[in-house]
Amino acid sequence: MLLVTGLALSFLYPLFLAVWPGWVRGRRAYWTAAVPALLFLGCLQAWEQVMQGGMVILDLPWAPSLGVSLTFTLDGLSFLFSLLITGIGTLIFLYASAYMKGYADSARLFGWLGIFMGSMLGLVWSDNVITLFIFWELTSISSFFLIGYYQEDQASRQSARTALAVTGLGGLALLAAGLLIGQETGGYGLAGLQDLQGLLTASPLYPLIAVLVMLAAFTKSAQFPFHFWLPGAMKAPTPVSAYLHSATMVKAGVYLLLRFSPSLGGTEWWTWGLTAAGGITMVYAAWQTLFRTDLKALLAYSTVSALGIMVFMTGWGTEAAIKAAVGFVLVHALYKAPLFLVAGILDKVTGTREVTQLAGWGRALPFTAAAGLLAALSNAGLPPFLGFVGKDLVYEALLAQGNSVALWGMALAFVTNVLLLWAGLQAGLRPFAGKPAPGSGRPLSPGAWLWGPPLLLALLGLVAGCWPSWPGNWLVTPALRVTGFPGREAALALWHGYGPVLALSAATLLSGALLAVFIQPSATRSQRWMRWERIAPEAVVHAGYRVFSTAATRITRLLQNGYLRHYVFAVTLFLLVVTAIQLVPLLADGQLPYRIAAVTVYEVMILVMMAASIGFTVFTRSRLVAVASLGVTGYAICLLFVFYSAPDLAMTQFTIDTLTVILFVLVVFRLPRYLTFSTPAIRWRDGIQALAFGAVIFLLILAVLAEPVTREVGDYYARNAYLLAKGKNVVNVILVDFRGLDTLVEISVLAVAAIGVFGLLKLRLKPTEWPEK
């Protein structure tokens, strides 16, 4: 119950902040950390049940006929991610309370952070593909508003749109994969997918399902070539970058792969897809760090590289590889989040994030320097930090493969770790080492609420490394059981003995240290590398966007030219062609009925009346005569309804025609004299099209009459109108009960149209503001 309450509060308290934004100004902002802290305690309270196999948090029927329910479960894998989301979230909220002090609209940031946290928890707790997709999209939407927090900045808005477009593409892929999985398995639940591996992998749709799931994960976890949205998202405030882009959102794709690995893994599609994407991503992004001088950009690319390692290890699918991937999720969160927070403190205190301009701040910012140093050493994989354990897990898993492909993979992992070590030292050590720049002065102390959260996280990385059996038994082992290795103990150890793994770790540390000595961040090198960005995935995507936008603009200018009659012509012509393609073959084969029943004199008189009124409408030079003639046509149709025993339709038609005539008269009364804007050729064209459209409608009616009559739907409504809806008028019952939602949508459309008409009626343009003809 505590978890459900906390989840509800994470979505409700942003509404509270929208009404009373003053509650997050000044010292009162610290209370926002109470919600993630409550959820963190609730997760810890459920630890014993998680160790015993998991627990059901909430189970509510949603669409039982479709097999969709709102079910939240907490198992080993979701438990690990829940602790990261809520634990790091608590510290981020405390950090943001101090970081955002002085911002007038900080309530908006805290509100969207709360919604994002609730969305992430809903994502990892979901036991249903459909609800998983819904919360997946909520994370994308909330991150869009967080990345674009600085609304006045064009670059910030562009980064937010890019992130939403890329992750939204992945969301559509996830929805398609979920629907296909439901089609193949007969349900959308995630709990039983592990037992259906043979069913899914043997399905002819398996390649498509696997590709869609991988596409969803790659876009969310910033894998090559979809990685570019993550460095661009660094335009967001530092608390957002530390929370979303190091510990939570970007790991949602990794979570998805781990969750589906038992049911979709073990095939060449899965193994090669993940290892190829992860391998390319981890090396490419780590190489990019050599050419970045902005602290957050440097950390962003190192994050992309670390995510590549997680995907790469998940692709191998062995117990050791999955253990390395799960362990690295925890390791990365405990050193990358403090590095981001340290970068935010430096930016706030010094006014710059340029690594080339930062040096010697260790004495002025001792606690911040300690946090940066500890995080950098864990990132480097130096014992006894938890980063050392995580790096050894990767090497150990690859060595255990014992084949040439794995050796190539280990070479890639080695190069990646060396480059990441270099990047970590630049972000966590370089700004505090050496002598300060002349004239830098002594900054104001950032305060404990700023340096406290990163220091605590960095110390956790040190403590967990000294006693790795604790996170191994409490976090990694339960998660490993969920990913297809039940009953196994994911023993984590600081010392693995002498052997190839230790040699690789030592070589990584030595190579990274030498690289840091001989290669320093350089703005010149960065500018030279930027010339190659013209062929980078981001540039290709933006070029494609410009081509698409230009083509769309030209097509829009061609079709949307401002004349309503042109729009009507295009729409009716399209309908005419599409319908005629289907009806002409039926007419040629003689499948349409052609017998005409006896015609009475009354019907002839009504038809003559209709023909005369149509003639007046087409050829008159007076708008009032045209409107009145249209009304006569409508009343003639009313009489036909009466003759064919449909008085309800006749009354409806009579009411509509009367109101239409009155409204038209009120409108045309204020219009200028009748003007002719079209040529005779255009009027002939329109007349021929109108006659053709009428003929097609006539053939369509004949086609409907040729279809066999089935009364199942009508009989159902007739039998159940009174029994289920307590109504004797079947038509009314259909409109307001059986199809009440359709009616509501139609009413909403009419209401929106009425608001638009009212706005046009109230519009008063000056003569100089009228658009040119």
Side-chain angles (χ1 to χ4, degrees):
M1 190 62 186
L2 183 62
L3 293 176
V4 177
T5 304
L7 182 64
L9 286 176
S10 66
F11 285 103
L12 291 177
Y13 96 92
L15 301 178
F16 174 82
L17 295 180
V19 180
W20 293 285
W23 278 93
V24 291
R25 292 174 186 163
R27 295 184 178 273
R28 288 179 293 183
Y30 298 112
W31 73 266
T32 57
V35 176
L38 177 68
L39 286 163
F40 181 74
L41 294 176
C43 291
L44 290 179
Q45 189 180 28
W47 176 78
E48 290 187 4
Q49 293 173 283
V50 171
M51 293 298 292
Q52 295 172 3
M55 60 176 289
V56 177
I57 301 174
L58 181 69
D59 188 6
L60 294 176
W62 185 10
S65 60
L66 299 176
V68 179
S69 61
L70 187 62
T71 305
F72 290 149
T73 59
L74 190 64
D75 56 19
L77 186 61
S78 57
F79 179 71
L80 169 62
F81 279 86
S82 298
L83 289 182
L84 293 179
I85 295 166
T86 57
I88 295 180
T90 302
L91 297 176
I92 293 295
F93 272 77
L94 291 174
Y95 178 91
S97 302
Y99 188 89
M100 301 302 295
K101 188 177 296 183
Y103 284 77
D105 57 347
S106 59
R108 178 161 55 89
L109 180 85
F110 285 107
W112 283 113
L113 277 176
I115 293 174
F116 172 81
M117 180 183 65
S119 303
M120 277 299 303
L121 289 174
L123 190 155
V124 299
W125 291 352
S126 291
D127 191 35
N128 189 285
V129 180
I130 304 301
T131 54
L132 174 66
F133 161 74
I134 292 174
F135 286 106
W136 182 282
E137 289 299 273
L138 283 176
T139 61
S140 297
I141 294 171
S142 54
S143 67
F144 166 78
F145 288 101
L146 288 169
I147 295 171
Y149 175 77
Y150 298 118
Q151 300 174 347
E152 68 282 355
D153 184 15
Q154 170 64 26
S156 179
R157 297 195 302 270
Q158 178 61 36
S159 297
R161 287 194 296 266
T162 301
L164 182 63
V166 175
T167 57
L169 173 65
L172 293 176
L174 177 61
L175 176 61
L179 294 177
L180 291 176
I181 290 174
Q183 175 183 329
E184 291 298 301
T185 63
Y188 299 99
L190 294 175
L193 281 183
Q194 185 172 337
D195 302 327
L196 300 174
Q197 181 184 21
L199 177 63
L200 287 175
T201 54
S203 169
L205 294 177
Y206 169 76
L208 178 59
I209 294 174
V211 169
L212 289 173
V213 171
M214 286 189 284
L215 178 61
F218 293 167
T219 54
K220 203 73 161 186
S221 289
Q223 297 299 287
F224 185 91
F226 307 104
H227 66 282
F228 56 85
W229 72 264
L230 181 54
M234 294 302 108
K235 301 294 188 300
T238 297
V240 175
S241 302
Y243 193 32
L244 274 67
H245 306 134
S246 66
T248 53
M249 176 182 169
V250 291
K251 290 189 174 70
V254 178
Y255 169 82
L256 185 72
L257 295 175
L258 291 171
R259 177 64 70 180
F260 280 97
S261 183
S263 54
L264 299 178
T267 66
E268 291 188 358
W269 279 92
W270 190 259
T271 301
W272 283 105
L274 296 189
T275 53
I280 294 173
T281 301
M282 67 184 190
V283 175
Y284 173 81
W287 173 258
Q288 287 281 350
T289 60
L290 295 173
F291 306 97
R292 308 295 158 177
T293 58
D294 182 276
L295 271 178
K296 289 180 70 173
L298 183 74
L299 293 173
Y301 275 103
S302 66
T303 298
V304 173
S305 180
L307 293 169
I309 295 175
M310 300 175 203
V311 173
F312 181 70
M313 299 310 299
T314 304
W316 289 104
T318 62
E319 178 185 356
I322 296 296
K323 182 172 70 172
V326 173
F328 202 70
V329 168
L330 175 62
V331 170
H332 178 259
L334 291 182
Y335 74 71
K336 186 54 63 67
L339 286 176
F340 267 109
L341 298 179
V342 166
I345 295 174
L346 289 171
D347 185 21
K348 198 171 187 66
V349 170
T350 67
T352 182
R353 297 199 306 256
E354 285 295 319
V355 182
T356 55
Q357 301 176 18
L358 292 170
W361 290 97
R363 291 186 178 181
L365 306 171
F367 295 105
T368 305
L373 176 62
L374 293 174
L377 294 179
S378 183
N379 168 80
L382 185 74
F385 290 90
L386 190 61
F388 174 77
V389 179
K391 182 179 59 182
D392 278 9
L393 287 175
V394 173
Y395 288 147
E396 186 178 17
L398 292 173
L399 283 173
Q401 297 292 324
N403 55 55
S404 58
V405 178
L407 290 178
W408 280 104
M410 189 171 58
L412 295 178
F414 176 81
V415 173
T416 300
N417 283 326
V418 169
L419 293 173
L420 289 182
L421 191 155
W422 180 88
L425 293 178
Q426 306 309 315
L429 179 61
R430 179 184 172 86
F432 307 103
K435 296 181 179 180
S440 57
R442 183 175 181 84
L444 296 175
S445 174
W449 291 112
L450 281 176
W451 57 256
L455 183 59
L456 179 58
L457 287 171
L459 286 173
L460 280 176
L462 175 60
V463 173
C466 293
W467 291 276
S469 59
W470 293 356
N473 295 332
W474 296 351
L475 298 176
V476 180
T477 293
L480 191 63
R481 290 172 180 169
V482 177
T483 55
F485 301 97
R488 305 296 180 88
E489 292 294 331
L492 301 185
L494 188 62
W495 176 252
H496 293 267
Y498 295 101
V501 175
L502 182 62
L504 284 169
S505 294
T508 302
L509 291 172
L510 179 60
S511 302
L514 291 175
L515 190 66
V517 171
F518 290 105
I519 298 182
Q520 302 295 325
S522 169
T524 303
R525 184 172 67 247
S526 177
Q527 293 173 357
R528 290 175 180 174
W529 177 257
M530 287 302 166
R531 292 179 296 182
W532 294 97
E533 293 294 310
R534 291 176 294 181
I535 59 174
E538 181 178 11
V540 174
V541 170
H542 283 287
Y545 168 78
R546 288 192 294 270
V547 172
F548 180 82
S549 178
T550 302
T553 301
R554 292 179 179 177
I555 294 174
T556 301
R557 289 176 178 175
L558 176 64
L559 299 179
Q560 304 289 331
N561 47 35
Y563 290 100
L564 181 61
R565 59 181 180 272
H566 290 176
Y567 303 158
V568 174
F569 172 79
V571 171
T572 54
L573 180 62
F574 174 78
L575 293 176
L576 176 64
V577 173
V578 171
T579 310
I581 291 174
Q582 299 295 324
L583 293 178
V584 170
L586 297 178
L587 181 63
D589 296 340
Q591 300 181 27
L592 300 182
Y594 55 88
R595 294 183 181 179
I596 302 177
V599 180
T600 65
V601 64
Y602 305 106
E603 294 170 346
V604 173
M605 293 174 59
I606 293 174
L607 291 176
V608 171
M609 185 189 309
M610 291 176 60
S613 61
I614 292 173
F616 273 102
T617 303
V618 173
F619 296 106
T620 184
R621 301 285 296 176
S622 171
R623 289 195 184 91
L624 290 176
V625 174
V627 171
S629 300
L630 285 175
V632 172
T633 305
Y635 292 146
I637 295 175
C638 292
L639 293 176
L640 288 177
F641 287 150
V642 171
F643 291 154
Y644 284 93
S645 302
D648 52 346
L649 293 179
M651 290 301 299
T652 303
Q653 182 74 24
F654 176 80
T655 304
I656 292 175
D657 272 296
T658 301
L659 291 175
T660 302
V661 170
I662 293 174
L663 291 175
F664 266 120
V665 169
L666 292 176
V667 171
V668 301
F669 182 75
R670 293 181 173 273
L671 290 179
R673 293 182 59 188
Y674 200 94
L675 302 176
T676 301
F677 289 101
S678 59
T679 63
I682 292 178
R683 291 195 290 274
W684 273 103
R685 181 203 65 186
D686 294 341
I688 294 173
Q689 184 187 15
L691 291 174
F693 191 78
V696 167
I697 295 298
F698 173 72
L699 294 177
L700 183 62
I701 294 173
L702 292 181
V704 172
L705 293 175
E707 292 293 321
V709 178
T710 56
R711 300 186 178 275
E712 294 182 12
V713 177
D715 292 342
Y716 171 82
Y717 287 137
R719 288 193 309 268
N720 294 283
Y722 186 77
L723 294 177
L724 299 180
K726 308 303 179 184
K728 297 182 178 179
N729 189 314
V730 179
V731 175
N732 290 347
V733 169
I734 293 174
L735 291 176
V736 301
D737 285 282
F738 291 115
R739 302 189 62 180
L741 187 60
D742 293 348
T743 304
L744 177 63
V745 173
E746 292 170 359
I747 294 173
S748 302
V749 171
L750 291 175
V752 171
I755 294 173
V757 171
F758 178 76
L760 292 175
L761 292 176
K762 299 293 290 184
L763 182 64
R764 295 291 185 270
L765 292 177
K766 298 178 181 179
T768 56
E769 295 177 343
W770 285 94
E772 296 181 2
K773 295 182 180 179

